[in-house]
Structure formats: structure tokens, C-alpha cells
Amino acid sequence: MPKIKVALVGVGNCASAFVQGLQYYSNYGKEEDSIGLRHLSLGGFHPRDIQIVAAFDIDGRKVGKDLSEAIFAEPNNAPKLFNVSSSNVNVCKGPTLDGVGEYTKNIVQISNQPETNVANILTECDVEIVLNLLPSGAVKASHWYAEQALSAECAFLNATPSFIASDPTWTKRFEKADLPLVGDDLIDQVGATALHKTLLKLLSMHGVRITETYQLDVGGGTESLDTLERTRDVKRTVKTKSVETALPYKADVVAGSMDYVDFLQNRRDSYFWIRGLYFCNVPMQIDLKLSTIDGPNAGSVLFDVIRAVKMALDRKLKGAVMPICAYGFKHPPQLIPLETAEEMFIDFITEKV
Ligand SMILES: NC(=O)c1ccc[n+]([C@@H]2O[C@H](COP(=O)([O-])OP(=O)(O)OC[C@H]3O[C@@H](n4cnc5c(N)ncnc54)[C@H](O)[C@@H]3O)[C@@H](O)[C@H]2O)c1
């Protein structure tokens, strides 16, 4: 198969797990052996067909380094699962814009190297897909990289919660440029929101009347600190709306409230509390804790979405590609129930639509 040429924007924890995963799964031959992946082969593409050909960051501990080294540089704290072979891709410096917030300014060390010409590098490296893994508060920087993707005629995959694929202005611009766009805010493989919705749905299907529920997250990656300062309210609105759709009636729902606990490193603890009434109005309650590590939680969905975007490019699709947005992202252009999104994605990758 031809390689899928990807540029990484932001070499943080998510990128670290993603790059390690590319090496980890490259030699897997059988679908049934590939623990941790939804699809070893998708659209005829194996994970080894994904090739990172360019990478951009601003931190002096990453810029100028081979990607295999940069992914383990501080302040990244995603687990190092094994050594990664040299990639021959050096991390280039991009503009900082709003990449660093008040809370992270003492954590990110901005490189003093000159900025590179991002659109030129994307063109020279034949990049097909720009993968946006910038901090969630870096809205201007995310928009700037979407502009670079348009200039260099690349598809854009927005894993961040900045609204791009769900913003009709951007969608129209990618449509006009004959390029696919997917986003926003990647869904985790073991996602707190998906788990919360599934639990509520199950209880409600069984006749339980949920009265109140909340979901609270604590994490220790740089991204959690940035979220605390700049995107907590947006994330809370997006997650609360999404969780509310799991119930056919109105209940008191709060989801996406969070805090930063530095010693957790890249780990995340999600707490769920659900109260409801069942037979004869007898009360029931659930208290639950889910522990995950953020970086690896994005890998499997990224593998699927990147290969699906390559299929969209091959099919000359343009603008927001709904089956991919609905399957892989928390804030697609339209909110679609989980099961419908799954069906749409399967139809898309099996070429039924
Ligand atoms: N499971 C997950 O990790 C997950 C799931 C869904 C969404 N996301 C989203 O993915 C994004 C990345 O998450 P992360 O944990 O890897 O974050 P991170 O903070 O570890 O990494 C961000 C990287 O971007 C770099 N950066 C900052 N400004 C920049 C700029 N202007 N140009 C280039 N690089 C810049 C930082 O130096 C850092 O290396 C976030 O927006 C997050 O919300 C992650």
C-alpha cells in the first residue's frame, strides 16, 4: 500500500503514545493478535502504512531533535513503553501564538530557534494529513495550522477541542479547497464520557429514573493544566450536552468538571456518581472510578481516523466528513448517537457510502 503521509503539530503526550504505537503495531500480522486496536487493517491500510514525515513544536527540548527523542523530552510524561528507532524526522519550530497559557508558561520552554516556513515544509514533504495535537487552549495556533493545511493542500484532522470541523466557516473553506476536514476533540478509546453515557442509557432502558449525575476528572499532564486555565468551561459544556443526550428525559447532569494533580503524571482518574429511582421509587446510587493514561487513550482512535481520512482523500471527499467526525470526535458538526455513529463509520470504511 502507498504510505499515508502525516504531519504532527504538537509533539506532546498524545504524539508520544501515537509514535510509540506506530512502531509497536508495525509487525502485527493478525487481527486477533492486535490487542488494543479496533482495526488492524482499515480500508486496506495497516498501521505501518502511516508515516510521519514532518513534526512541529515550540519547546526547545523538542525542536531540532529527531522525533524518536523529542517524544520523550520533558515536560512530556506519557509512559515510555520502549525505545523508538530513529525516524529521520526533525521537529521544526512553528510560531507560538497562543500555544502557551498563564498556567503552562513556566512548564513549556520556548525554543530560541528561528520559525520555519510551515506551509513550505508541508508541501516539500508531500504531507497529505495535518494532525493537530496542540494544547486545547491554543485556539489561534490551531486556526493558523488549519490555514497552513489549506495553503499546502492537506486534509486537516483536529484532535483538539478548538472548533474547526464544527464551524461552518471552516467547513466551507475546506469544501471550496476540495479537501477533507475532521474533528473536533478526539474521542478516547476508553472514554469517560462514553462510559457515563452507556451507564445512563442502560439504567434508563431498565426503567430507572436518573435524577442526578456528575462526572469529575483529575489528570496530571500539561494538557490538564492548560484545560484548567483555558478550556474547562468549554469542555464542561460539550461533555454535559453530550451526556444529556443519553437520557430520554431531563435530569440534573454535570460532566467534565476537572482538576490538575501534578503527581498523577499523564494518568487520569474519572469519578462517576449516579443517583436514580427504581421500583416503587426506591433509590439507587453508583460511585465509580475509572483510571486511564491519557496519551495511549488516543492512539487507537487516531489510527482509525487517519486511515479513514486517507480513504476520504482517495474518494475526493471535501469539507467535514460526517461518518469520520461522528465516530472519532466528541464535538462533530452534528451530535449523533454512539450506535448510529458506529454504523455510519462501518458503512464508510466498507465502502457502502
Ligand atoms: N487522550 C488524549 O490525550 C486526548 C483525547 C482527546 C483530545 N486530546 C487533545 O489533544 C491535544 C494534545 O494533547 P496532549 O496531551 O498531547 O497535550 P500536550 O500538552 O502534552 O502537548 C501539546 C504540545 O504542543 C506543543 N505546542 C504548544 N504550542 C505550540 C505551537 N504554537 N506550535 C507547535 N507546538 C506547540 C507543546 O510544546 C506540546 O509539545 C489537546 O488539545 C487535547 O485536548 C487528547
Side-chain angles (χ1 to χ4, degrees):
M1 291 300 279
K3 295 287 182 197
I4 308 171
K5 295 188 175 173
V6 175
L8 279 183
V9 177
V11 184
N13 283 318
C14 232
S16 170
F18 175 66
V19 171
Q20 293 184 68
L22 284 178
Q23 177 166 308
Y24 182 78
Y25 286 107
S26 63
N27 295 321
Y28 274 68
K30 287 196 207 137
E31 203 73 53
E32 59 271 26
D33 292 341
S34 53
I35 296 171
L37 290 189
R38 296 280 298 273
H39 307 276
L40 182 63
S41 172
L42 191 152
F45 294 103
H46 189 278
R48 67 175 155 262
D49 297 318
I50 302 173
Q51 187 185 17
I52 298 168
V53 293
F56 303 93
D57 207 285
I58 50 167
D59 195 304
R61 293 161 290 185
K62 299 171 183 174
V63 171
K65 301 265 166 61
D66 187 276
L67 189 59
S68 58
E69 268 180 70
I71 55 171
F72 299 123
E74 285 184 356
N76 288 7
N77 51 16
K80 180 172 181 172
L81 304 168
F82 34 72
N83 288 322
V84 170
S85 331
S86 169
S87 66
N88 294 323
V89 173
N90 271 350
V91 177
C92 299
K93 168 106 185 270
T96 303
L97 301 165
D98 56 353
V100 182
E102 257 320 285
Y103 288 12
T104 53
K105 70 176 186 213
N106 296 325
I107 291 184
V108 177
Q109 297 174 6
I110 299 178
S111 152
N112 50 18
Q113 295 215 13
E115 283 170 21
T116 50
N117 186 325
V118 173
N120 276 0
I121 294 174
L122 296 176
T123 309
E124 278 160 18
C125 297
D126 278 332
V127 171
E128 297 173 281
I129 303 171
V130 173
L131 168 55
N132 182 26
L133 294 173
L134 289 178
S136 56
V139 178
K140 282 189 194 134
S142 288
H143 288 180
W144 189 85
Y145 275 98
E147 290 286 358
Q148 306 312 298
L150 281 170
S151 308
E153 297 177 12
C154 306
F156 195 73
L157 191 169
N158 181 36
T160 82
S162 298
F163 296 161
I164 298 178
S166 56
D167 176 342
T169 315
W170 280 105
T171 310
K172 282 195 196 102
R173 292 191 61 198
F174 275 81
E175 237 171 67
K176 215 169 150 201
D178 292 333
L179 291 166
L181 166 67
V182 297
D184 299 318
D185 200 2
L186 194 81
I187 285 182
D188 281 325
Q189 181 173 17
V190 186
T193 302
L195 180 62
H196 198 180
K197 285 168 85 169
T198 308
L199 280 172
L200 294 182
K201 203 160 192 176
L202 178 80
L203 292 166
S204 152
M205 258 169 52
H206 286 218
V208 178
R209 172 61 63 121
I210 307 296
T211 51
E212 293 141 351
T213 182
Y214 69 74
Q215 175 200 320
L216 169 71
D217 269 43
V218 285
T222 317
E223 169 58 17
S224 294
L225 189 57
D226 194 52
T227 304
L228 193 60
E229 179 201 344
R230 304 198 282 180
T231 51
R232 179 154 73 161
D233 291 348
V234 179
K235 284 200 172 175
R236 191 165 147 150
T237 308
V238 166
K239 286 188 182 181
T240 301
K241 268 197 198 149
S242 171
V243 172
E244 278 171 346
T245 63
L247 293 172
Y249 50 81
K250 191 116 188 64
D252 283 334
V253 177
V254 173
S257 211
M258 61 87 59
D259 212 332
Y260 172 71
V261 178
D262 60 350
F263 60 76
L264 279 181
Q265 300 272 315
N266 196 217
R267 298 197 303 279
R268 175 174 301 277
D269 288 339
S270 307
Y271 297 89
F272 306 85
W273 184 84
I274 304 172
R275 188 151 74 182
L277 301 168
Y278 68 118
F279 197 62
C280 295
N281 271 1
V282 171
M284 55 74 58
Q285 194 168 305
I286 295 182
D287 265 304
L288 203 72
K289 175 181 161 191
L290 165 72
S291 293
T292 51
I293 304 180
D294 267 352
N297 216 348
S300 173
V301 184
L302 279 178
F303 277 18
D304 285 359
V305 167
I306 287 172
R307 291 177 290 176
V309 172
K310 171 66 175 168
M311 294 175 78
L313 279 164
D314 290 346
R315 291 184 203 166
K316 305 209 178 322
L317 300 181
K318 50 189 178 173
V321 186
M322 261 318 283
I324 309 179
C325 295
Y327 167 83
F329 300 89
K330 297 197 233 7
H331 197 261
Q334 281 164 261
L335 262 185
I336 288 179
L338 286 176
E339 314 83 77
T340 317
E342 290 280 332
E343 280 164 24
M344 283 167 71
F345 188 72
I346 297 296
D347 285 350
F348 178 83
I349 61 175
T350 51
E351 313 214 21
K352 285 193 197 141
V353 285

